[in-house]
C-alpha cells in the first residue's frame, strides 16, 4: 500500500513537472505572449495572451486524454491499452527526433488566434501524448463487482481524472511560461532573449521516448 501511495505521488509529481517543462519550452508559446505585450505596449495584452495560450493547451490535453479515459472502462484490456499508449508516445518521440522541422502550419495561424495556435502547437509537438502514460497510471482500473454500472462508474471517475490531470498540468505550464514571459517583458527585454535563446527540440523528443518507456514499464510490472 505504501508503494502504491508513493507511486501515485510520483505520477502526480510527473504531471506537475511536465507542466513546468512544457511552460519553459518556448515552443509552447510564451514568446508570443511577450510579443503581444510589446506590440500593444501594455501588460494587459501580455496577460490576455498567457490566458489564451493556457486555454489552448488545456483543450489540447483534454482532446488527447478524454478518449483514453473512456477506453479505461475496458478493464480486461488495461495492460494492452497502456502498452499501446506507451508505444505511441515512443513513436511520436522518435518521429520528432528524425524530423526536427517546426510545423509550418503554425506560422499560418494569425497571432490574434492564440487559443487555436496553442492547441495546434501542443498537438503537433505531442504535448498531450506525453501525459497519456502518466494519466493511465493514475486512473482507477478496478471495476468492482463488474457489469455495465461498474464500467460506467469507472468511466465517469476517469473522465473526471482527465480534467483534473489536464488542469493541474496546464496550471503548472502557465505558471512556468508566464514567469518567463513576465520577466522578459518587464525586466530583461528582447536583447536578453536573443542572447539566451534555447532550443529544447531534442530534449523534448527524447523525453517523449522516456515517458513512453516508463508507461510500458508501469503497465507490465504494475504499480
Amino acid at each position: 500500500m505504501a508503494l502504491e501511495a508513493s507511486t501515485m505521488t510520483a505520477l502526480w509529481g510527473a504531471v506537475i513537472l511536465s507542466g513546468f517543462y512544457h511552460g519553459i519550452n518556448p515552443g509552447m508559446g510564451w514568446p508570443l505572449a511577450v510579443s503581444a505585450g510589446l506590440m500593444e505596449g501594455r501588460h494587459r495584452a501580455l496577460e490576455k495572451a498567457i490566458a489564451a495560450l493556457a486555454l489552448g493547451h488545456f483543450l489540447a490535453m483534454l482532446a488527447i486524454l478524454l478518449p483514453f479515459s473512456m477506453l479505461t472502462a475496458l478493464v480486461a484490456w488495461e495492460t494492452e491499452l497502456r502498452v499501446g499508449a506507451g508505444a505511441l508516445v515512443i513513436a511520436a518521440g522518435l518521429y520528432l527526433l528524425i524530423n526536427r522541422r517546426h510545423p509550418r502550419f503554425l506560422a499560418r495561424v494569425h497571432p490574434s488566434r492564440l487559443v487555436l495556435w496553442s492547441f495546434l502547437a501542443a498537438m503537433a509537438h505531442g504535448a498531450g501524448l506525453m501525459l497519456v502514460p502518466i494519466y493511465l497510471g493514475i486512473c482507477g482500473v478496478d471495476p468492482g463487482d463488474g457489469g455495465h454500472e461498474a464500467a460506467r462508474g469507472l468511466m465517469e471517475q476517469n473522465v473526471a481524472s482527465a480534467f483534473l490531470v489536464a488542469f493541474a498540468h496546464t496550471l503548472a505550464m502557465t505558471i512556468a511560461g508566464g514567469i518567463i514571459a513576465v520577466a522578459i517583458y518587464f525586466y530583461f527585454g528582447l536583447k536578453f532573449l536573443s542572447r539566451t535563446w534555447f532550443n529544447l527540440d531534442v530534449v523534448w523528443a527524447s523525453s517523449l521516448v522516456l515517458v513512453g518507456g516508463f508507461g510500458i514499464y508501469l503497465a507490465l510490472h504494475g504499480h
Side-chain angles (χ1 to χ4, degrees), residues 104-118:
R104 293 182 178 179
F105 64 86
L106 292 176
R108 293 193 286 269
V109 179
H110 195 275
S112 64
R113 299 175 180 175
L114 281 181
V115 174
L116 176 61
W117 185 94
S118 180

Side-chain angles (χ1 to χ4, degrees), residues 27-45:
M28 290 296 101
W30 60 257
L32 294 179
V34 176
S35 175
L38 292 174
M39 284 193 296
E40 295 194 27
R42 55 197 182 97
H43 62 80
R44 181 69 65 183

Side-chain angles (χ1 to χ4, degrees), residues 111-171:
S112 64
R113 299 175 180 175
L114 281 181
V115 174
L116 176 61
W117 185 94
S118 180
F119 177 87
L120 294 175
M123 298 294 279
H125 287 91
L129 284 177
M130 182 181 287
L131 280 182
V132 171
I134 303 170
Y135 163 72
L136 290 177
I138 290 172
C139 278
V141 293
D142 183 2
D145 57 358
H148 293 296
E149 285 299 316
R152 187 176 69 179
L154 179 66
M155 187 185 299
E156 290 174 354
Q157 171 188 326
N158 289 338
V159 166
S161 295
F163 274 89
L164 188 56
V165 167
F167 177 78
H169 171 86
T170 302
L171 179 61

